Amino acid sequence: QPTAGTTERRWLLDPINGAGLFAQRVPTFDVLLAVEDAEGPAVAVAGYPMSDEVLYAGRGLGCWHAVAGRPVRRVRVNDNDRLRGAVVEMLNPLAWSEELLLALHREVYLQPWTKGDVDLATGLADALVIAGQPMGYEDLAVLPLLVGEAGGRVTDLSGRDVLTGDGTVLASNGRLHDALLELVAGLPHGR
């Protein structure tokens, strides 16, 4: 429930992002925290309790990955610019339209979302797609900063700002973004 504050900062917390996964004991749920100020996203954190890792970013400070027992490291998206065979993690594919699923399946390697933001920011995945059921603002608030500070790009599937868009997500390494937008242009997103 939103509570009015005395500054221009807004804190957004999703204490169990992926509550369905959490309830089913699938260890890929995470905890999301975003801080926004008058200039927009300022701080973003995605913590994965089951793997003891955190991905975090600050505006103008880069994106960082911390895993228990290892040194913290600054991370960057990969530089893949070849669409055919690109690794794209997907969330909610059962709710996707057949047209969207087929268009992507014909060009890219689709794999289930595990730790999509971490995989994209560290270069293990080339892109992420979320469609079917609109995501809530609290689910989306960390993505622009985490992906952007790692060198990537985030929009909705129509190319609009993800925070004011239709609740879908296309996050990429940046090099593949326009080609992916073109691939899904005009397709229905959900069933």
Side-chain angles (χ1 to χ4, degrees):
Q1 185 74 316
T3 304
T6 57
T7 70
E8 291 187 31
R9 289 187 198 101
R10 179 165 84 155
W11 292 69
L12 296 118
L13 175 65
D14 189 347
I16 303 178
N17 182 45
L21 297 169
F22 176 80
Q24 295 172 24
R25 298 178 182 222
V26 177
T28 58
F29 66 91
D30 58 351
V31 178
L32 302 177
L33 172 68
V35 179
E36 299 173 337
D37 61 20
E39 296 176 40
V43 175
V45 180
Y48 290 85
M50 299 306 293
S51 58
D52 217 0
E53 66 187 297
V54 177
L55 185 69
Y56 59 94
R59 184 174 50 234
L61 301 172
C63 184
W64 301 82
H65 186 220
V67 180
R70 298 185 198 160
V72 174
R73 66 185 178 108
R74 189 172 187 166
V75 293
R76 299 265 322 151
V77 296
N78 67 42
D79 61 358
N80 178 35
D81 60 1
R82 186 165 186 255
L83 182 61
R84 186 109 174 120
V87 176
V88 177
E89 290 195 16
M90 57 183 173
L91 189 62
N92 300 333
L94 290 175
W96 291 14
S97 71
E98 288 182 31
E99 296 89 343
L100 178 64
L101 193 54
L102 284 172
L104 287 166
H105 178 68
R106 287 182 180 129
E107 286 297 317
V108 302
Y109 175 71
L110 290 171
Q111 70 180 28
W113 177 291
T114 53
K115 292 179 279 188
D117 44 14
V118 171
D119 293 344
L120 179 59
T122 60
L124 295 176
D126 301 309
L128 315 170
V129 173
I130 303 173
Q133 303 164 339
M135 301 300 288
Y137 191 89
E138 69 283 356
D139 299 316
L140 304 172
V142 299
L143 289 174
L145 210 53
L146 291 176
V147 175
E149 288 292 325
R153 182 174 166 199
V154 183
T155 65
D156 71 6
L157 286 175
S158 298
R160 296 182 301 255
D161 174 45
V162 73
L163 297 180
T164 58
D166 62 11
T168 62
V169 175
L170 173 58
S172 76
N173 65 4
R175 293 175 178 241
L176 297 173
H177 208 86
D178 289 333
L180 285 164
L181 284 173
E182 187 176 316
L183 184 64
V184 302
L187 297 177
H189 301 147
R191 292 180 187 247

